[in-house]
Amino acid sequence: MAICDDSKRIWALVTGWPGAVNDQRVFDMSPIAILPRALEKGLMSPGQYILADGGYRVMRHVIVPYDRAPGQTLPREKET
């Protein structure tokens, strides 16, 4: 798992997990999740978030895409 900023600088990297492990499990066991106050101590500024894929759950500093049922479209207010 790698977390980078908008300038493509990596500021968090977690390795050593097999590819079959769920993304959220890797995140949950990472220093970012174990020490969430680290995000508030300079790694991220207020109003900054981690943009993640659908393999993660929404958390205080993590935003994931809207979920939709298979074969369904997103409501118009959620499209962008």
Side-chain angles (χ1 to χ4, degrees), residues 24-39:
Q24 186 64 52
R25 175 137 174 85
V26 175
F27 184 86
D28 288 343
M29 300 306 292
S30 73
I32 301 288
I34 293 170
L35 304 171
R37 306 285 282 172
L39 293 176

